[in-house]
């Protein structure tokens, strides 16, 4: 007979909640940037609101696969930390950062032809060019976004979550201020409308990655000092991709399922 199911104690539930809550908060914080963009641009015009919403769907549908692929770092770094294998931690982190650079190029290129890719979706003709311009403004933020994901997956294995939460919270506050400034032309900055919110998010993503690197520098820098040709060897990088790509594909399918409703609303408006 199988073992009886054991009900976790209150202390165990609290421990799990203590670990899970910051991770959930960070995930919400990553999504909040797009929500804040839409909320602030919505005060400018309904057209801008629709464009930012569509542009966010476009951006996330592209980068989600890269984000999920980098989650391969979770088991790799966690196992290395458990085994106290510093060389394996170093190799995993460095290869993860190399993978960030490699993934950012094709993902960024996919964000450039927005008008051409959105045309078959039958979205309003006055919204698509603005949504495409918003997505292009987010292109310089692809690399720091993926870098943040790689660093986050690594430091979580060290049970370092406060710096991750702090980086996300500060970046969201800065994003809101920059949205207000760049959308409406405040603080001496030009009024760029919906496209300005894309630039605000790009700047905030760079800040988010740099804040996390700074906040966890004592844990991360020792594993970033020494690089070798092994860090860019194709075979181990490909193994990491094979491990993480199914996760990225699953995330992409889930995100696409939720995005279909927004696209259908756009089609209904056009009709």
């Amino acid at each position: 007979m199988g073992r009886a199911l054991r009900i976790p104690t209150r202390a165990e539930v609290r421990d799990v909640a203590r670990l899970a809550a910051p991770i959930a908060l960070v995930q919400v914080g990553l999504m909040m940037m797009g929500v804040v963009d839409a909320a602030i641009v919505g005060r400018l015009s309904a057209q801008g609101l629709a464009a930012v919403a569509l542009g966010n769907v476009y951006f996330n549908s592209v980068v989600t696969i890269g984000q999920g692929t980098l989650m391969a770092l979770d088991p790799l770094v966690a196992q290395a930390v458990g085994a106290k294998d510093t060389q394996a931690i170093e190799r995993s982190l460095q290869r993860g950062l190399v993978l960030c650079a490699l993934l950012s190029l094709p993902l960024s290129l996919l964000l450039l032809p927005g008008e051409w890719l959105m045309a078959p979706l039958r979205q309003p003709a006055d919204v698509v060019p603005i949504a495409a311009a918003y997505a292009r403004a987010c292109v310089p933020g692809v690399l720091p976004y993926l870098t943040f994901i790689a660093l986050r997956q690594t430091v979580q294995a060290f049970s370092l979550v406060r710096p991750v939460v702090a980086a996300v919270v500060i970046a969201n506050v800065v994003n809101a201020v920059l949205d207000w400034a760049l959308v409406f032309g405040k603080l001496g900055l030009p009024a760029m409308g919906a496209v300005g919110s894309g630039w605000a998010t790009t700047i905030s993503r760079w800040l988010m990655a740099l804040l996390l690197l700074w906040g966890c520098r004592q844990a991360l820098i020792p594993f970033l000092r020494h690089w070798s040709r092994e860090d860019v060897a194709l075979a181990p990088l490909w193994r990491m991709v094979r491990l993480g790509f199914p996760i990225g594909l699953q995330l992409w399918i889930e995100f696409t399922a939720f995005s279909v409703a927004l696209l259908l609303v756009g089609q209904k408006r056009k009709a």
Side-chain angles (χ1 to χ4, degrees):
M1 294 189 58
R3 298 177 60 182
L5 181 64
R6 186 178 70 86
I7 299 176
T9 65
R10 290 184 179 180
E12 290 173 333
V13 172
R14 285 196 300 269
D15 289 340
V16 172
R18 192 179 298 112
L19 291 172
I23 297 174
L25 179 61
V26 167
Q27 197 60 34
V28 171
L30 291 176
M31 296 185 293
M32 278 300 296
M33 285 192 180
V35 173
V36 171
D37 286 353
I40 292 179
V41 173
R43 298 182 59 188
L44 181 68
S45 68
Q47 180 191 52
L49 172 61
V52 170
L54 182 59
N56 263 305
V57 169
Y58 181 23
F59 178 87
N60 285 302
S61 66
V62 170
V63 301
T64 294
I65 291 183
Q67 176 181 346
T69 301
L70 290 168
M71 288 184 179
L73 285 168
D74 261 341
L76 295 175
V77 177
Q79 290 174 8
V81 170
K84 298 182 180 180
D85 188 342
T86 56
Q87 185 176 22
I89 297 172
E90 181 178 89
R91 290 284 179 265
S92 297
L93 173 57
Q94 292 175 357
R95 286 168 181 159
L97 294 176
V98 170
L99 196 57
C100 288
L102 294 176
L103 289 172
S104 66
L105 180 58
L107 296 180
S108 296
L109 292 175
L110 284 173
L111 289 170
L112 296 179
E115 291 90 347
W116 181 73
L117 291 176
M118 293 182 197
L121 300 178
R122 295 177 52 210
Q123 298 302 298
D126 60 334
V127 169
V128 169
I130 303 174
Y134 171 89
R136 284 192 286 270
C138 292
V139 167
V142 173
L143 177 59
Y145 182 82
L146 294 180
T147 300
F148 174 84
I149 297 300
L151 295 178
R152 181 192 69 174
Q153 302 308 116
T154 300
V155 299
Q156 282 177 177
F158 297 130
S159 299
L160 291 173
V161 291
R162 288 185 180 179
V164 184
V165 174
V168 170
V169 170
I170 294 172
N172 270 277
V173 172
V174 171
N175 181 58
V177 174
L178 288 176
D179 269 338
W180 171 73
L182 289 171
V183 170
F184 299 104
K186 305 295 183 179
L187 303 178
L189 297 174
M192 302 175 67
V195 178
S197 67
W199 285 109
T201 299
T202 288
I203 295 170
S204 299
R205 284 174 175 144
W206 275 102
L207 176 64
M208 186 171 63
L210 292 172
L211 284 174
L212 181 55
L213 180 60
W214 174 258
C216 297
R217 62 191 181 281
Q218 292 183 346
L220 293 173
I221 296 302
F223 302 109
L224 296 173
R225 287 175 178 159
H226 307 290
W227 291 72
S228 69
R229 290 184 179 179
E230 293 183 15
D231 299 320
V232 294
L234 292 180
L237 287 173
W238 179 241
R239 284 196 297 270
M240 187 177 291
V241 170
R242 286 189 299 172
L243 180 62
F245 182 76
I247 303 174
L249 184 60
Q250 178 185 344
L251 291 177
W252 180 82
I253 292 172
E254 292 176 356
F255 179 81
T256 301
F258 284 106
S259 301
V260 167
L262 177 62
L263 297 176
L264 290 176
V265 168
Q267 289 186 5
K268 183 177 180 180
R269 177 186 168 185
K270 183 179 180 179

